[in-house]
Amino acid sequence: MFEPHAPDRYHLRLHRARSVVLTASELVEVRAAQRTFEGAYVRTALSQFSFALVVLKIFTSEFYSIGALFAVYGAGVLFASLFRRQQGNKQFFAEVGEDGLDKRMFRTSGNVVVVLTALSVAAYACLMALTLKLA
């Protein structure tokens, strides 16, 4: 998932990723992407952790499994945000291939959407099972 020495392989305007100086419009694009994607995932994870804490602190011990489910779901969203950030860092840079030519491929965040959808469906199925088990 994480590549060693990735900044040496990615270039923008013939500069390596770790030494590039972005223009004002590129900075606006990077910051907007960070606010939109990274912020949304982190806020979602924090809200799930907060709700898990409320369930664990307020309700009786029979609801602990539901609180733990929300904590695990929040951790899953947080790991998905790390993966999305790693993918988003490559969005503005071109990879230099072995033939010396730039390869620029735009990838959508479809992989992250599929992972989050599967995670959400699994969490809601577990929530329904745990709720029915309470009765």
Side-chain angles (χ1 to χ4, degrees):
M1 183 162 108
F2 296 104
E3 303 171 38
H5 309 292
D8 293 331
R9 291 186 35 222
Y10 295 104
H11 294 272
L12 179 66
R13 294 187 316 271
L14 302 176
H15 293 282
R16 282 178 281 155
R18 75 175 68 187
S19 66
V20 69
V21 177
L22 299 175
T23 65
S25 63
E26 289 168 340
L27 272 175
V28 168
E29 286 292 319
V30 170
R31 289 178 183 155
Q34 286 177 337
R35 277 193 311 271
T36 302
F37 295 112
E38 294 172 15
Y41 290 132
V42 170
R43 283 190 302 270
T44 302
L46 284 176
S47 68
Q48 296 303 314
F49 289 140
S50 300
F51 188 70
L53 186 64
V54 166
V55 169
L56 292 173
K57 288 292 186 182
I58 292 179
F59 294 101
T60 60
S61 63
E62 56 196 17
F63 291 95
Y64 283 177
S65 57
I66 293 175
L69 172 68
F70 278 103
V72 169
Y73 181 68
V77 170
L78 195 59
F79 284 121
S81 75
L82 291 174
F83 178 69
R84 174 67 176 96
R85 180 177 185 165
Q86 188 257 344
Q87 294 295 316
N89 285 340
K90 297 178 185 178
Q91 187 175 11
F92 293 96
F93 298 99
E95 184 176 1
V96 177
E98 280 139 38
D99 55 359
L101 300 174
D102 288 343
K103 295 191 244 175
R104 183 176 288 275
M105 296 176 61
F106 179 75
R107 286 190 58 134
T108 62
S109 60
N111 293 341
V112 177
V113 171
V114 168
V115 168
L116 283 176
T117 301
L119 182 67
S120 298
V121 167
Y124 285 120
C126 289
L127 181 63
M128 292 303 248
L130 290 172
T131 305
L132 291 174
K133 185 179 166 186
L134 286 175

